[in-house]
Amino acid sequence: KESGRSPFFLAELAHAAARPGSAAVVTLDDVLQSRLSGLPADATALLTVSAVAGRPIPVVVAGRAAELADEIVALQVLRTERLVRTRQVDGHQEIEPYHDRIRETVTASLPAPLLAQTHRRLATALEGAAKTDLPSLVEHWLGAGDRVRAGGYAFRAAIEAEKALAFDRAAHFFKLALELQDPPAEERRARMKRMGDALANAGRLLEAAD
């Protein structure tokens, strides 16, 4: 039950329980925390960024957010320890935690100021990325506590979704932008009209009427 039916975690728990002096009950959090505490600083920084990111991100973006001059060694440590995995996407390498439980353990251990700082570093790194990821920028500027910048990216995400005919998504981001920013009255009316149109096009007619 503690392993969540993961063969990898089951093996980790078995090894931990077999060590001399181990506790009567070995939890997965205990095992993960023990492994995380033994990581080099650069590897810890890279793992923290990949966990807070919440989704796969380019390794170069993660390295920039972790403020590493060279993320290769840290990445190799994390892969050897099976704490992250990577994959090739559109000619670049992406990183994410090996398992959601690792992501949860890392993020839960972060003090609020460090979590907000990591969100800010991720947002700044993503702003300099070759491909603009608007939903991620909304999420991380929100996590950093910057509602105005998050709202600006939410509005851009709404327009992008509108052009792609993804009307549910457009309505979501128009609504979020209105909640996060306080535009002048005329601009607010224009944005509300666009949100109403998106809701109508998505078939959500009662919400559009409101």
Side-chain angles (χ1 to χ4, degrees):
K1 181 178 178 181
E2 184 67 18
S3 73
R5 297 187 179 183
S6 163
F8 170 62
F9 287 145
L10 184 59
E12 291 292 305
L13 287 162
H15 284 305
R19 293 190 190 108
S22 64
V25 177
V26 180
T27 69
L28 185 54
D29 282 340
D30 292 337
V31 173
L32 291 176
Q33 288 292 357
S34 175
R35 292 183 62 197
L36 296 176
S37 65
L39 290 174
D42 283 0
T44 298
L46 188 60
L47 178 60
T48 298
V49 163
S50 69
V52 174
R55 57 178 61 85
I57 60 170
V59 170
V60 291
V61 172
R64 197 178 305 133
E67 300 183 340
L68 302 181
D70 184 358
E71 65 276 0
I72 301 303
V73 175
L75 179 61
Q76 186 58 46
V77 169
L78 294 175
R79 281 199 296 208
T80 300
E81 292 290 326
R82 290 192 185 182
L83 291 170
V84 302
R85 54 186 168 191
T86 58
R87 61 178 182 173
Q88 290 293 129
V89 179
D90 297 332
H92 65 263
Q93 197 174 38
E94 291 191 341
I95 181 176
E96 65 176 330
Y98 189 84
H99 192 278
D100 279 342
R101 188 69 180 270
I102 295 172
R103 187 196 312 278
E104 293 162 7
T105 298
V106 172
T107 54
S109 68
L110 296 176
L114 180 55
L115 180 60
Q117 182 185 61
T118 305
H119 276 298
R120 180 172 291 276
R121 287 176 177 172
L122 273 163
T124 303
L126 284 165
E127 285 181 334
K131 184 179 179 180
T132 304
D133 184 347
L134 295 173
S136 289
L137 283 163
V138 173
E139 178 185 338
H140 294 307
W141 279 122
L142 261 180
D146 194 327
R147 293 172 59 85
V148 173
R149 291 180 84 162
Y153 282 115
F155 185 62
R156 286 177 57 185
I159 294 172
E160 185 180 80
E162 187 181 55
K163 289 177 180 176
L165 307 183
F167 297 115
D168 273 312
R169 190 177 180 85
H172 165 74
F173 282 114
F174 277 131
K175 183 174 185 292
L176 185 58
L178 284 166
E179 291 171 353
L180 295 174
Q181 293 184 312
D182 187 22
E186 186 174 347
E187 175 66 15
R188 172 171 282 275
R189 284 195 295 272
R191 292 189 181 192
M192 289 182 74
K193 181 183 183 300
R194 292 182 80 163
M195 183 172 75
D197 288 340
L199 287 165
N201 286 324
R204 296 159 61 181
L205 302 182
L206 290 177
E207 293 172 80
D210 285 340

